[in-house]
Amino acid sequence: MQKPLLIIGNKNYSSWSLRAWLLLKAFNIDFDEQLIELFHPSATAILDEHAPTGKVPVLVYGENDEKVTVWDTLAIAIHANDYLTDLDVWTGLNKSDAKNNTSNRINSAYCQSIVAEMHSGLMGIRSEMPMNIRATAKIQPSNACLKDIARIENIFADCLKNRSKDSYLFGAFTAADAFFAPVVLRLHTYAVASGIPLKPITKQYCVTMLNNPHLQAWQETALNETRVIKEDEAGEILSVIGVLAD
């Protein structure tokens, strides 16, 4: 099979690109990546060729009548689970083990549900705290944003209860960790600067995710980007790190 190509946007800002990229990396799926500039005319040709919605991420492989195109991060996760890995992305287990007992089915259902919840909801935090890896920024969060953060903290607490200190949400890395990775980065950018208190278990999970080598690799590349996209900047920028640091 031809190696898949993942088309993504600017790594400092594109949260949905991060979710797809991190999932493929975590589940040992070999792929090439092509980065396009968000909201820039240079992206038009590649999006017109591969992206029916004109958005990233898009996963493509094969040619002509055998070309496979998968757009939308959730669809990429489902397709990857069905065709591109021997591991189950909802449990992190070998597929032969994932269906063997009720506990695994419960975890799979929970993982799928919170991934879908992240995909379709939590618009308060997503709109008011856009991913901006290089920045530390101060916002005035609305009640809707704070309600989303409380919901996210409840998800983390429920998933992590009775697990080791450095655990992912379901023990092994799953699609849920990939989908909530941008939330971790959002909290890192805005929470302290904005006076938003976080529970100890949330802080610990953020540390675990920030220590993930794939996420660190994404951040390292993001910090070398130079483009500032005003549409994705929010709040009062207190400082930046990376090549744009003062």
Side-chain angles (χ1 to χ4, degrees), residues 23-234:
L23 183 138
L24 297 182
K25 286 289 186 181
F27 287 92
N28 304 315
I29 298 168
D30 190 21
F31 67 98
D32 293 322
E33 64 181 85
Q34 181 170 354
L35 189 145
I36 60 123
E37 291 284 345
L38 297 171
F39 313 119
H40 193 276
S42 64
T44 301
I46 189 72
L47 292 176
D48 286 348
E49 180 180 359
H50 296 296
T53 62
K55 298 178 180 180
V56 291
V58 183
L59 185 72
V60 296
Y61 60 93
E63 297 179 349
N64 302 320
D65 291 343
E66 296 184 351
K67 180 182 176 182
V68 175
T69 303
V70 192
W71 62 97
D72 188 283
T73 303
L74 181 54
I76 291 171
I78 294 169
H79 185 83
N81 189 63
D82 287 346
Y83 297 105
L84 302 179
T85 177
D86 293 329
L87 297 173
D88 180 77
V89 305
W90 313 115
T91 61
L93 304 174
N94 289 320
K95 288 178 179 174
S96 58
D97 298 327
K99 299 178 181 179
N100 277 352
N101 60 55
T102 301
S103 177
N104 291 340
R105 288 194 295 273
I106 291 171
N107 284 342
S108 178
Y110 198 137
C111 180
Q112 292 168 4
S113 296
I114 62 174
V115 162
E117 183 177 352
M118 182 73 255
H119 182 262
S120 63
L122 301 172
M123 296 304 299
I125 188 172
R126 287 164 57 182
S127 62
E128 296 180 36
M129 298 168 64
M131 193 172 83
N132 190 350
I133 291 173
R134 68 169 72 99
T136 296
K138 181 180 180 180
I139 63 165
Q140 295 293 330
S142 68
N143 288 337
C145 181
L146 293 174
K147 183 178 178 181
D148 284 351
I149 293 172
R151 170 60 184 149
I152 289 163
E153 289 205 280
N154 286 339
I155 290 171
F156 290 173
D158 194 32
C159 288
L160 293 168
K161 62 186 178 185
N162 302 321
R163 297 194 186 278
S164 63
K165 183 178 179 181
D166 58 350
S167 176
Y168 294 114
L169 292 176
F170 294 93
F173 191 99
T174 67
D177 299 293
F179 271 67
F180 281 91
V183 170
V184 168
L185 295 173
R186 285 173 159 103
L187 295 175
H188 188 67
T189 294
Y190 300 100
V192 172
S194 305
I196 301 171
L198 299 175
K199 297 176 181 178
I201 198 165
T202 301
K203 294 179 181 179
Q204 180 55 52
Y205 177 64
C206 289
V207 169
T208 297
M209 286 297 294
L210 292 170
N211 284 333
N212 179 282
H214 299 308
L215 187 56
Q216 289 178 339
W218 177 281
Q219 290 177 278
E220 183 178 353
T221 306
L223 294 178
N224 284 315
E225 294 180 348
T226 58
R227 185 166 173 234
V228 175
I229 301 176
K230 294 299 184 181
E231 296 93 329
D232 284 328
E233 297 278 321

